[in-house]
Amino acid sequence: MQRLVDFHDRVGKPVTTSFIDSKVHIAIPNDKNLFEPPWFKSALLTLAEVEAYFNDVKLAAAIVEDLNLNRRIWTKQ
């Protein structure tokens, strides 16, 4: 629980966490449309767009690292 509190404090955004069965679900609000490409824009990305995407990926990796979600401490599966 302390890791969750520390993570919430560090992210600086509202973070919602729920536990369902043996899984942790974490939601962080984002105003970007991450699932559809920009149809009316050039396929070339700016450095700022690449950095923003990289920061989103780093945040996801930080969640796994900070909360030790890559360990199987509760089950043998």
Side-chain angles (χ1 to χ4, degrees):
M1 288 307 292
Q2 185 60 46
R3 287 180 194 269
L4 280 174
V5 171
D6 293 343
F7 179 75
H8 287 178
D9 293 342
R10 207 184 74 199
V11 169
K13 297 180 182 180
V15 177
T16 304
T17 307
S18 68
F19 300 89
I20 301 173
D21 295 327
S22 63
K23 295 180 176 44
V24 177
H25 298 264
I26 299 172
I28 302 170
N30 189 340
D31 60 353
K32 295 181 248 174
N33 189 350
L34 301 174
F35 297 105
E36 293 196 24
W39 293 107
F40 300 107
K41 187 177 174 188
S42 169
L44 299 175
L45 297 174
T46 65
L47 181 59
E49 291 170 320
V50 172
E51 286 177 343
Y53 181 77
F54 181 70
N55 289 334
D56 290 339
V57 172
K58 278 188 357 183
L59 178 60
I63 291 169
V64 173
E65 278 297 313
D66 289 350
L67 302 180
N68 282 333
L69 297 178
N70 55 345
R71 289 188 185 174
R72 294 186 180 149
I73 60 174
W74 303 110
T75 65
K76 293 182 182 183
Q77 297 178 352

